Structure formats: structure tokens, C-alpha cells
Amino acid sequence: MSTFEYEQAFSRNIGWLTRHEQNQLRHKRVAIAGMGGVGGVHLLTLCRLGIGKFNLADFDTFDLVNFNRQTGAAVSTLGQPKLDIMIQQARDINPELDIIGFTQGVTENNLDAFLEGVDLYVDGLDFFAFQARQQTFAQCAAKGIPAITAAPLGMGTAVLNFLPGGMSFKDYFRLDDCPESEKPLRFLLGLAPARLQMDYLADPSTVDLANRKGPSTIMACQLCAGVAATEALKILFGRGPVRAAPKGYHFDAYRNKLELTWRPGGNRNPLQRLAIAIAKRKLGL
């Protein structure tokens, strides 16, 4: 059995990456908050790309309801900390990884440490973790750290990049000036203005934003990881087109459809304001 060698382990990336770029990835640090549905598969995908350093945060443990989509969820990991399991899986891919773990998740008190020395942030927080998400993206903006969110929606993914000097998460989503009950709606419609996933929702009763519940699929999580890692590569190397907020895109594998989205002003855009008003009326908000 051969010992681990970074160059050999990731040699098949060469061609799509140069050897110099691959070596650069070895020294890049990526922060991921949340090790569940998208966060866990983000981590493993970026590990296989050859990223060598991570700051990871999660406070939760694996439960049976995670089995349909979370890469670390298994009978053998029930009740175990998601952070511990995903670090173990990542180090099975690359035992040389430099990982700093945050067992309390991301909080106002540890965000400075969580984002220390970070080249890129990839969002893996639970959909409804609005306070943690707002604080994390605000700190990324303040520190000039590019941030990616790839949302698993139906059987597809909606992607937004927030780059230094560009439109901020705060200005795009406008979650600070609305009641807590409206945040899920603004976040969902901001992520996916094209709403491609809604045409094939088999049971609408499973979408319960008021009680913070909704359906999910593994296909969406895996698509998220693929596109987020691709965006990460382009951002870290400054090559290839990067759509930054208020521009984004939504790919839906079920519908075989790609929509390039653009909402100038984010949720202030008249089309977004109309969509939010209609949705609020339907939900009785």
C-alpha cells in the first residue's frame, strides 16, 4: 500500500488545472459554515479538488431525517457530531489537511476567528439560519472575502456570488428590514428569481416556511457542490466568467433548464417586490 502523496493523489486534475494552480490550491484556505446537506458535500468536493486548508463550523449531530441528502449521515454516525464525522471523511481523502474546527457553529463571538486567513467562504448553513448567515456574509464583506451560496432547490441549484467591491448579501436580500416571518420568503425568492423548481413540486403541503420545514433531494446537494467548487476555482484563480450578485444563475436538472438571472437592486427590484407581495398574500403574511 502506497503512502499518501499530494501530487499523485490529485494528479488527474492536471489538464483542467495547471500544476502551478494545483499547488496553489494546496495552500488555499476555505471556510464552510454548516456540515449538513450542502456543507458536507462542499467539503468533500473541495478536498478532491485539492484545497489544503479549511475552517469548518457546525454544532449539530446526525439524525435519521438527514439520510436522504447529507453525505455524512449513516447508521454508523447517528447521534455523532457532524463536524467530527466530516473532518474524518475529509482526512480520509487528504490526511495532510490543515483544518480548524468550530464546534459551536458560527456565532457573533467567533466569526473573526472563523474567517481568519480565509481566501473564500462557501455557505453551507441551514436554509433557516438567517441570523448566522447575515452575520457571516456581513463579516465576509467587511474583510473583503469572496462568498458563494449555492442553494439546493428541488432537483437543481441556484447560485449567487458575493465579491469584494460588488453588491453585498445585505443589500441584495434585504433581510434586515423585514419581520422574521418574512425572511424565508425573501431569501427563497432572492436565491431563485426564476423559480424553476416550483413547476414539479409533487406535494406543495410539504413547503411550510412558517414552521421552517421543506422537502430536499440529494441530487440538488450534489449539483450545488459541483457548481460551488467550479465557482471557487474561478474566483481563487481569477479566470473564467464569474456572475456576481445581482447576477446569478439557476440550473434545474429535472427540467433540463438553465436560467441566467439578473435582479438589479436585489429584492428592491420591482419584479422581486411584486413576487414577494404575491407570495405574502398567498401565505397570509
Side-chain angles (χ1 to χ4, degrees):
M1 181 178 178
S2 61
T3 58
F4 178 84
E5 294 180 6
Y6 180 93
E7 291 80 3
Q8 185 175 356
F10 304 109
S11 61
R12 295 299 177 92
N13 290 337
I14 306 304
W16 300 113
L17 283 70
T18 67
R19 285 181 173 79
H20 176 65
E21 286 173 333
Q22 187 68 69
N23 187 59
Q24 284 183 299
L25 289 183
R26 189 175 189 173
H27 304 286
K28 295 294 185 181
R29 183 173 294 276
V30 174
I32 307 172
M35 289 286 101
V38 291
V41 71
H42 281 329
L43 172 61
L44 299 188
T45 303
L46 291 168
C47 279
R48 295 192 186 279
L49 184 60
I51 298 290
K53 301 178 182 181
F54 291 95
N55 288 3
L56 307 174
D58 200 296
F59 60 83
D60 203 4
T61 57
F62 284 114
D63 195 359
L64 196 60
V65 295
N66 304 144
F67 275 41
N68 78 311
R69 70 200 182 283
Q70 298 194 15
T71 189
V75 172
S76 62
T77 64
L78 277 171
Q80 296 190 44
K82 294 180 181 180
L83 181 61
D84 291 352
I85 295 301
M86 295 316 303
I87 288 176
Q88 179 182 328
Q89 289 193 14
R91 286 194 166 131
D92 268 349
I93 297 169
N94 180 356
E96 297 177 352
L97 286 175
D98 177 351
I99 299 178
I100 302 172
F102 294 79
T103 58
Q104 301 303 311
V106 286
T107 69
E108 189 174 8
N109 293 329
N110 70 14
L111 268 174
D112 275 339
F114 177 67
L115 295 173
E116 180 68 28
V118 164
D119 298 293
L120 177 72
Y121 171 68
V122 181
D123 186 24
L125 290 167
D126 180 89
F127 178 89
F128 296 99
F130 297 117
Q131 182 177 2
R133 181 174 281 110
Q134 288 171 259
Q135 291 173 343
T136 303
F137 275 89
Q139 280 291 89
C140 286
K143 291 177 176 289
I145 298 170
I148 301 169
T149 182
L153 299 170
M155 302 177 205
T157 178
V159 182
L160 287 168
N161 297 306
F162 294 91
L163 303 184
M167 190 173 198
S168 69
F169 179 97
K170 177 181 178 178
D171 288 341
Y172 181 87
F173 284 104
R174 292 185 60 217
L175 299 182
D176 290 338
D177 62 356
C178 70
E180 200 69 24
S181 60
E182 192 178 319
K183 287 184 179 181
L185 194 57
R186 287 200 186 189
F187 188 50
L188 177 61
L189 293 177
L191 285 169
R195 300 189 291 280
L196 297 180
Q197 77 279 10
M198 298 308 296
D199 285 354
Y200 57 89
L201 180 64
D203 184 356
S205 69
T206 60
V207 179
D208 187 355
L209 297 182
N211 291 306
R212 301 192 165 197
K213 293 182 179 179
S216 58
T217 69
I218 183 60
M219 298 86 82
C221 292
Q222 290 179 329
L223 286 166
C224 285
V227 297
T230 304
E231 296 298 318
L233 183 148
K234 292 190 292 183
I235 291 169
L236 290 172
F237 292 146
R239 69 172 173 96
V242 175
R243 292 180 66 81
K247 294 180 179 179
Y249 61 94
H250 189 166
F251 172 68
D252 192 282
Y254 187 90
R255 295 185 61 188
N256 297 326
K257 193 167 185 178
L258 171 68
E259 288 281 351
L260 300 181
T261 57
W262 183 38
R263 288 296 185 271
N267 278 339
R268 288 186 177 86
N269 184 281
L271 290 175
Q272 288 297 97
R273 292 168 61 185
L274 177 61
I276 291 168
I278 292 171
K280 284 174 62 178
R281 190 159 55 248
K282 286 183 178 179
L283 294 171
L285 296 177

